[in-house]
Amino acid sequence: MGESELTRSVDMSGEVLPITAICIVADRNKAPIGFTPILKTHDESVDADLWRESAFSIWSRPVRYIAVSREIKTAIPSSRSVITDLTVTKESEPVPHGYIAIDYTADSKEKALRKRFLCVKTEPLESCVDAVTDVIVLSKTKKPPRDHSLAGNE
């Protein structure tokens, strides 16, 4: 998969499609089928690696990327869901009620993040009012762009 920024997926009517699934991968080229990794930060267009270790371990340095999917894979309407919220919690904190923690990478089954969990809340597509339609990674900017919410500080 080449290096491209995440772009909004649009259906035939011109509406932005909601994100239906999210995962973390250890290899940008091994995102699950139907998932697009976020490779560049929104604010500075630098590597969107979530692990961020020192440059001294460059040869075997672990990396982590968020990957998103907008595919609705099932024909059974009652089992189709979309992501309605994301939050980042410390490992020592409980996962918020109604959320699922992403604690391992989808490709290598390694620990997803250091000392933190990415937590995802989903709701059935038919009954949700608001859904997440875009996920960006910021490198230096602390304030999210307009029409975006902050999920975590680190």
Side-chain angles (χ1 to χ4, degrees):
M1 191 168 286
E3 286 202 28
S4 62
E5 287 191 38
L6 182 67
T7 57
R8 290 180 181 250
S9 292
V10 179
D11 70 3
M12 298 297 260
S13 67
E15 290 185 42
V16 176
L17 297 175
I19 294 174
T20 57
I22 192 165
C23 66
I24 296 176
V25 294
D27 183 337
R28 64 173 50 180
N29 297 315
K30 292 185 180 177
I33 294 172
F35 283 77
T36 304
I38 300 171
L39 302 176
K40 298 287 183 181
T41 61
H42 181 77
D43 55 346
E44 296 198 344
S45 290
V46 297
D47 190 37
D49 173 21
L50 300 175
W51 197 267
R52 293 192 189 143
E53 274 192 2
S54 71
F56 296 115
S57 59
I58 196 159
W59 298 113
S60 63
R61 165 177 101 79
V63 294
R64 301 291 186 268
Y65 296 97
I66 292 176
V68 299
S69 175
R70 289 182 169 81
E71 291 185 0
I72 297 176
K73 296 183 179 186
T74 180
I76 304 167
S78 62
S79 64
R80 296 186 295 193
S81 63
V82 294
I83 294 177
T84 56
D85 197 18
L86 296 169
T87 189
V88 177
T89 62
K90 293 180 181 176
E91 268 184 341
S92 59
E93 296 174 355
V95 174
H97 180 72
Y99 287 73
I100 298 170
I102 298 175
D103 46 358
Y104 294 99
T105 59
D107 56 343
S108 64
K109 306 300 182 219
E110 297 172 285
K111 188 172 179 172
L113 300 172
R114 279 189 296 180
K115 301 180 184 179
R116 304 213 180 277
F117 291 131
L118 175 62
C119 300
V120 179
K121 184 175 186 180
T122 61
E123 291 184 25
L125 176 63
E126 288 72 26
S127 64
C128 91
V129 177
D130 290 321
V132 175
T133 57
D134 194 19
V135 174
I136 61 172
V137 176
L138 300 173
S139 58
K140 293 200 176 181
T141 308
K142 296 293 182 194
K143 185 178 177 186
R146 195 168 150 224
D147 297 329
H148 287 78
S149 300
L150 200 58
N153 292 329
E154 296 179 48

